[in-house]
Amino acid sequence: MKPVAIIGAGITGLAAAFYLKRKGIPVTVYEASGRVGGVIQSLRQDGWLAEFGPNTLLETSPKIGQLVRDAGLQSRRLDPDPKAETRYVVRYQRPIEMPGSPLGFLTTKLFTAGAKLAVLREPFMPRRRDGAEESIAQFVVRRLNQEFLDQAIDALVAGVYAGDPYKLSVQQAFPKLAQLEARYGSLIRGQIFGAGARKRSGEVAKDRAPKFSFDEGLQVLPDTLAVRLGNAVKLNTRVTKLTQTADGWALTVLENGREPQGNFEHPTSNIQHPSFQIEHSAVIYCGTAFKLAELQIELGTPASGPARSDFTKKPGRRPAFQEFSEIRYPPVASVVLGFRREDVTHPCEGFGMLIPKIEGFKILGTIFSSSLFPNRAPTGHLTLTSYIGGERYPELVLLPAEKLVALVCEDLRVLLGVTGKPAFQHCVLYPKAIPQYNVGYGRYRELMNEIENKAAGLFFAGHYRDGVSLGDTIVSGVNIVERVAGFIGPVAN
Ligand SMILES: Cc1cc2nc3c(=O)[nH]c(=O)nc-3n(C[C@H](O)[C@H](O)[C@H](O)COP(=O)(O)OP(=O)(O)OC[C@H]3O[C@@H](n4cnc5c(N)ncnc54)[C@H](O)[C@@H]3O)c2cc1C
């Protein structure tokens, strides 16, 4: 049996490959860079453990914990310190605890009486019935008020998408919020009355889902899956072309393409590397949307005509795959800094702080990494992981590392009372970090459905299709397995 080709050894591709292999279906995972994990990157150095990409994995679905167990990683799972539940949002130039209960909400200094009244009024606000897509900013102002948008949702959007609330689509980027309004007529009523339905589905809301990592950081998960997959994972191997054949797909791959990091862009090299064509039964694309746009694709020759390289026959539209280059991925720089405990006034006990734009700081937010997982810093020290750039200030990421560190230190000085020089510092730039599910994103999802319907045996999974969180991508990788297995049919053991 010809193997299933999986393009991309980020967590989506590895999860899909792992479960296909367990079903007895042979796989080959092609990864353009020299490492597995995609945007997941953990670094252990001199007693510090830095995470540059995701910091925690939210267990929003039972499939996530199941993957950890199936990979044999249960004993390496690290749950956060219970004290680290507290989240802060910056207002009046200082971090204020986010309320964790209705009473806490009524007494918090984070919101004025006007915003509190808006929440009490929300169940009585009329629901929108025309079904038109709107931005998260429009949605929040319509159901709550401007203060809620500026002080809370803007910060949340920066924390999840590094995005712009005036551009992100509520239906595409926050579908659960849109569904609560559609089904219950109100977010608050939906929270209360939707609890039973969530329980039955086994799903856990993101704000309540347990979060975790591993003893040596999140990189443990892709590394372990890669070990389980053995020589089925081909590093430094970029897929450049997909050709549909009579009984599957032929992939053109470029070996030793030397791509240093996950989704980074590189100067094009003049060196010609050998390319090969390899036959596969099916293909799952688990890369990024912008790399998808670069793939050449040739559909099988229909009996009546020449090979087609384009799915869209509609006038005025670009060839299907090229349309994915329009999906915006703003840049993000992760700045991980270690300080001596006595050089930081704030206790930094909690998950971290989110910062709305209106407060005028450069950083989007900071995770109190060593409060979450104490083994992230040597004794007597703490680690703070800050993000800079995103849609808010994309130009800042172009600064040299030393300037980025200085900018972050200045914000941390005001917000957390950080003094002294960092004892540890490391920056990683993601030139194209997180896809923006902006208003209109639905057409890219429709296009993916259209391509899958026309190109039998070609499947799409990952952060550009099924949600951007690490948990969403794992579920996406797990779910695609059933569809691919169904396409291939029974496997002889
Ligand atoms: C800075 C940052 C912080 C984040 N923080 C969190 C967090 O705290 N919690 C959370 O839940 N989520 C977080 N996320 C999001 C989450 O980490 C990602 O959505 C998820 O890891 C994406 O996984 P993926 O496998 O879909 O894609 P990727 O990790 O992007 O992997 C895709 C892989 O495909 C390869 N590839 C692409 N094209 C080709 C080709 N033609 N041939 C071969 N290989 C190819 C790439 O080299 C890459 O390795 C964060 C993301 C970033 C960038």
Side-chain angles (χ1 to χ4, degrees), residues 80-236:
D81 190 322
K83 282 194 300 238
E85 277 306 306
T86 314
R87 287 165 186 265
Y88 295 85
V89 176
V90 170
R91 186 157 193 187
Y92 312 118
Q93 304 281 293
R94 64 192 165 88
I96 298 182
E97 245 183 85
M98 263 172 81
S101 67
L103 183 65
F105 176 74
L106 289 175
T107 53
T108 181
K109 291 193 169 68
L110 194 55
F111 299 111
T112 65
K116 291 175 189 176
L117 256 178
V119 171
L120 296 177
R121 223 173 32 224
E122 195 274 340
F124 309 102
M125 297 304 285
R127 81 175 82 183
R128 187 168 175 167
R129 292 185 185 277
D130 62 7
E133 204 174 343
E134 62 184 338
S135 70
I136 179 76
Q138 286 170 310
F139 179 85
V140 170
V141 171
R142 181 166 62 71
R143 295 216 59 85
L144 293 153
N145 73 357
Q146 187 71 36
E147 178 184 335
F148 228 86
L149 171 66
D150 293 341
Q151 298 293 345
I153 301 303
D154 180 71
L156 177 81
V157 158
V160 178
Y161 283 92
D164 178 348
Y166 289 89
K167 292 186 184 153
L168 284 165
S169 155
V170 68
Q171 283 85 355
Q172 298 293 329
F174 298 94
K176 300 227 161 90
L177 288 187
Q179 283 157 17
L180 286 183
E181 180 183 48
R183 198 166 302 158
Y184 302 97
S186 145
L187 305 179
I188 293 183
R189 265 188 273 145
Q191 275 303 326
I192 298 166
F193 299 118
R198 277 197 297 278
K199 206 168 175 188
R200 282 191 295 280
S201 74
E203 285 202 3
V204 189
K206 285 203 162 98
D207 58 335
R208 271 180 237 135
K211 48 183 149 348
F212 67 95
S213 182
F214 298 95
D215 50 1
E216 290 299 307
L218 287 168
Q219 186 72 44
V220 166
L221 183 56
D223 283 355
T224 305
L225 293 175
V227 169
R228 305 275 182 271
L229 288 161
N231 60 11
V233 180
K234 312 287 180 204
L235 298 179
N236 297 308

Side-chain angles (χ1 to χ4, degrees), residues 236-479:
N236 297 308
T237 309
R238 166 193 286 284
V239 177
T240 56
K241 187 173 174 185
L242 310 179
T243 309
Q244 195 177 24
T245 60
D247 57 351
W249 290 84
L251 264 62
T252 307
V253 303
L254 206 58
E255 265 188 350
N256 293 320
R258 278 212 317 121
E259 297 254 353
Q261 288 293 348
N263 71 2
F264 289 12
E265 282 181 310
H266 309 286
T268 42
S269 155
N270 292 327
I271 305 164
Q272 289 298 310
H273 297 288
S275 74
F276 301 90
Q277 264 216 348
I278 306 166
E279 298 280 328
H280 291 279
S281 54
V283 180
I284 315 177
Y285 184 80
C286 304
T288 52
F290 53 90
K291 290 289 181 197
L292 177 58
E294 291 172 16
L295 274 185
Q296 290 177 53
I297 170 97
E298 216 164 75
L299 274 190
T301 310
S304 57
R308 285 171 293 154
S309 58
D310 178 11
F311 296 92
T312 55
K313 295 292 164 213
K314 291 168 198 157
R317 263 174 81 169
R318 304 169 68 194
F321 277 29
Q322 282 179 28
E323 284 202 39
F324 297 116
S325 68
E326 297 161 5
I327 295 174
R328 181 147 170 81
Y329 282 68
V332 171
S334 305
V335 182
V336 183
L337 301 177
F339 295 97
R340 296 189 314 160
R341 182 56 272 189
E342 60 265 34
D343 287 343
V344 183
T345 319
H346 194 280
C348 293
E349 278 178 4
F351 183 87
M353 61 178 172
L354 290 169
I355 309 177
K357 185 178 184 185
I358 202 166
E359 292 292 314
F361 292 93
K362 296 289 187 289
I363 52 181
L364 304 172
T366 300
I367 295 179
F368 303 158
S369 309
S370 54
S371 163
L372 272 171
F373 305 112
N375 76 341
R376 272 35 175 174
T379 314
H381 293 76
L382 52 78
T383 308
L384 300 172
T385 304
S386 303
Y387 300 96
I388 206 158
E391 288 292 41
R392 201 181 278 178
Y393 301 122
E395 68 290 349
L396 285 183
V397 304
L398 300 173
L399 292 171
E402 281 307 317
K403 288 226 162 95
L404 280 179
V405 169
L407 276 184
V408 173
C409 283
E410 176 52 21
D411 281 357
L412 296 181
R413 184 186 66 74
V414 178
L415 290 165
L416 303 177
V418 170
T419 56
K421 291 229 169 305
F424 172 86
Q425 63 180 66
H426 210 103
C427 301
V428 165
L429 170 62
Y430 292 84
K432 292 184 175 221
I434 298 173
Q436 301 297 296
Y437 289 12
N438 286 339
V439 172
Y441 200 87
R443 76 192 166 95
Y444 301 114
R445 286 177 155 152
E446 277 165 24
L447 189 52
M448 285 173 226
N449 293 340
E450 197 183 316
I451 295 173
E452 279 184 346
N453 286 337
K454 288 187 183 161
L458 174 59
F459 299 88
F460 298 108
H463 64 274
Y464 62 91
R465 186 179 201 184
D466 296 323
V468 302
S469 79
L470 201 48
D472 292 338
T473 55
I474 289 175
V475 172
S476 175
V478 173
N479 286 348

Side-chain angles (χ1 to χ4, degrees), residues 49-83:
L49 179 58
E51 289 280 15
F52 302 106
N55 266 254
T56 52
L57 176 42
L58 280 182
E59 202 170 353
T60 45
S61 155
K63 292 174 184 170
I64 297 165
Q66 192 60 47
L67 174 66
V68 172
R69 287 188 292 279
D70 291 342
L73 282 173
Q74 192 61 16
S75 62
R76 300 191 62 186
R77 177 180 164 140
L78 199 60
D79 295 308
D81 190 322
K83 282 194 300 238

